[in-house]
Amino acid sequence: MTISSENSESTDAQGAAKDPVAGSDPGTASTSGAFDIDSRQAGTLGDAARDYLNRLRGGDMGSLPAILGLVVLFVVFSSLNDRFLTTYNMANLVVQAGSICVLAMGLVFVLLLGEIDLSAGVAGGFCATITALAILDHGQSWWVATLAGVACGAIIGLIIGVLVTVLGIPSFIVTLAFFLGLQAGPLKLIGSGGSLRYDDEVLRGLSIKNVPVTAGWIAAVVIVVGFAALSLYQYRSRSSRGLVHKPIALVVLQIAVLAVIVLGLTALLSKNRAPNPAIFNISGIPWVAPVVIALLLFWTFVLTRTRFGRHLYAVGGNAEAARRAGINVTRIKVTAFVLCSSMAAVSGLLLASFVGKVSPGSGGGNVLLYAVGAAVIGGTSLFGGRGKAIHAVIGGLVIATIPNGLGLLNQASYINYLVTGGVLLLAASVDAISRRRRSAAGV
């Protein structure tokens, strides 16, 4: 079995289970069914398109439903309200989606294992409370306070992971208990009805300040050039070793699409979007966007280019097979919960930055449900073994777009719940149908 970056996650999972250290020759891979698709060399752009269609027919939908849903939402809302596609609202949408995307990225790790973390939302609120108290009561700098909050999240995840893996308590029960217990922390530390202001210049600035326009352009060019260099290097490396690789036309097309998206958004957000541009100047990319992009790139690398990532997919695909292949399943599961809660802490900081305060209710309500919905809508499977960090970001944009657009249309709150619930149910149905088709195809 091959461990190949072009392969689907499910292929990675099964492949890693059979060869936990990976590195086998992709050219010696599979013998039938969809595995032939993964190991077949597409020579032209047309071949790559046909292979992609075959994967769709086999149930490997990826993020396609979420992307199509996002396009539909943009078309509907922009046709019903002229303000939806303004640069001012697009910047607001980026800020609103930030905390959801980060929390959803953390949940991807436990969802890949077929587990759940119901406490992630309130864990973020608890960690944001610790950060705020470190600044306000103990006079710590923002970065020390941030480290304290993230460390608190890591400890929470470590305890959850040990209880789930060592004692064998279902994650649903453990995290439900933490969901209830962690809400007591901010209530005790802040007091009922109280709140802590979040006015640190750096942390608050993540949501209300923007990257200088020149720095934004430099970062955008660096991202495009870096992606192009990495893609071309991978193409040359794999083709020179006779491994399965994308056709050069597809590589160039992917680079061009990324360049259009990144440079286009940079140009859009670099314009002065102030309601009264003659008096105020609001331009540049909101700081929360680079934070989300950096986390996305880092976790994508971890999931696709490291042994831990391959083992995570392997355990999520078949834990018993992974254990027999020599993978330390307990360590992988504990690490996944630690990463999930640590990312929840970062999400809590972004949410507090957005609202400007921390209260006993921070991280409660629908925060967790929206993040789980974002991960599933983006393409992460609830059954484990299939998902990417980018799925969380795409799903987070879908989740954030719904209340943003409905708010501009002055729709009642219950409409938001109905639409979001319907989109989530549709995504879960697509996931279930795709899983059934992959099973029928033998993937």
Side-chain angles (χ1 to χ4, degrees):
M1 175 51 57
T2 300
I3 304 294
S4 169
S5 60
E6 282 79 12
N7 290 352
S8 66
E9 297 90 333
S10 58
T11 305
D12 286 333
Q14 298 174 47
K18 292 182 179 181
D19 182 8
V21 296
S24 58
D25 182 4
T28 64
S30 52
T31 56
S32 65
F35 295 107
D36 287 337
I37 297 173
D38 292 330
S39 60
R40 185 170 58 241
Q41 174 62 60
T44 65
L45 199 58
D47 292 339
R50 281 189 288 275
D51 288 346
Y52 180 68
L53 290 176
N54 288 332
R55 285 198 295 271
L56 289 180
R57 295 190 187 99
D60 186 5
M61 303 290 287
S63 297
L64 182 61
I67 293 173
L68 294 178
L70 191 61
V71 170
V72 170
L73 288 174
F74 267 64
V75 171
V76 171
F77 287 139
S78 61
S79 63
L80 296 177
N81 192 297
D82 295 337
R83 291 183 296 166
F84 180 76
L85 282 182
T86 59
T87 54
Y88 186 81
N89 188 55
M90 288 297 101
N92 283 340
L93 179 59
V94 169
V95 176
Q96 292 168 358
S99 62
I100 300 174
C101 293
V102 172
L103 184 56
M105 271 193 275
L107 286 166
V108 164
F109 289 97
V110 294
L111 292 176
L112 280 173
L113 299 174
E115 305 282 359
I116 189 66
D117 186 353
L118 299 177
S119 68
V122 294
F126 179 79
C127 296
T129 302
I130 298 299
T131 299
L133 288 174
I135 295 175
L136 297 175
D137 290 358
H138 300 283
Q140 297 295 326
S141 60
W142 69 268
W143 64 271
V144 173
T146 299
L147 287 178
V150 175
C152 185
I155 294 172
I156 293 172
L158 178 64
I159 298 172
I160 293 175
V162 169
L163 291 173
V164 171
T165 58
V166 177
L167 296 184
I169 306 174
S171 59
F172 181 88
I173 302 300
V174 174
T175 57
L176 178 59
F178 272 77
F179 170 78
L180 298 172
L182 286 174
Q183 295 183 69
L187 194 59
K188 171 65 177 176
L189 295 172
I190 300 175
S192 179
S195 65
L196 298 174
R197 67 183 185 278
Y198 226 75
D199 55 1
D200 179 83
E201 184 178 0
V202 174
L203 295 179
R204 180 72 169 127
L206 290 173
S207 295
I208 65 173
K209 293 186 177 180
N210 305 298
V211 179
V213 173
T214 303
W217 275 110
I218 293 175
V221 172
V222 168
I223 290 175
V224 173
V225 173
F227 178 78
L230 181 61
S231 299
L232 293 174
Y233 170 77
Q234 287 180 340
Y235 170 79
R236 181 178 178 182
S237 175
R238 298 185 68 85
S239 60
S240 64
R241 289 185 292 168
L243 303 179
V244 176
H245 59 275
K246 301 172 185 175
I248 185 62
L250 178 58
V251 174
V252 173
L253 179 61
Q254 289 178 328
I255 295 173
V257 170
L258 179 80
V260 170
I261 294 174
V262 173
L263 299 180
L265 289 176
T266 303
L268 183 69
L269 295 175
S270 295
K271 296 179 180 178
N272 186 0
R273 53 180 178 272
N276 192 343
I279 300 177
F280 301 103
N281 183 10
I282 303 177
S283 58
I285 302 170
W287 273 106
V288 68
V291 173
V292 174
I293 293 172
L295 290 171
L296 171 64
L297 296 176
F298 178 73
W299 292 125
T300 298
F301 175 81
V302 169
L303 288 173
T304 59
R305 301 296 175 187
T306 67
R307 177 175 293 187
F308 168 76
R310 290 191 292 269
H311 288 185
L312 189 68
Y313 284 117
V315 174
N318 190 324
E320 180 58 24
R323 186 187 65 78
R324 295 187 178 186
I327 295 176
N328 190 331
V329 175
T330 299
R331 186 179 64 185
I332 294 295
K333 286 190 174 183
V334 171
T335 305
F337 279 103
V338 170
L339 295 178
C340 178
S341 294
S342 300
M343 288 290 286
V346 178
S347 171
L349 297 178
L350 294 179
L351 182 60
S353 171
F354 177 60
V355 301
K357 66 178 182 179
V358 181
S359 66
S362 295
N366 295 318
V367 172
L368 173 73
L369 301 180
Y370 282 164
V372 173
V376 175
I377 289 171
T380 302
S381 175
L382 286 170
F383 304 99
R386 191 169 61 88
K388 297 179 179 178
I390 187 64
H391 292 167
V393 176
I394 295 174
L397 288 174
V398 173
I399 289 291
T401 300
I402 294 172
N404 180 286
L406 292 176
L408 292 176
L409 298 177
N410 293 321
Q411 294 296 314
S413 297
Y414 77 90
I415 299 293
N416 179 27
Y417 288 117
L418 288 174
V419 174
T420 306
V423 171
L424 177 58
L425 185 61
L426 179 62
S429 301
V430 170
D431 178 37
I433 295 172
S434 299
R435 184 170 179 264
R436 183 178 301 175
R437 296 191 66 173
R438 287 197 303 274
S439 298
V443 180

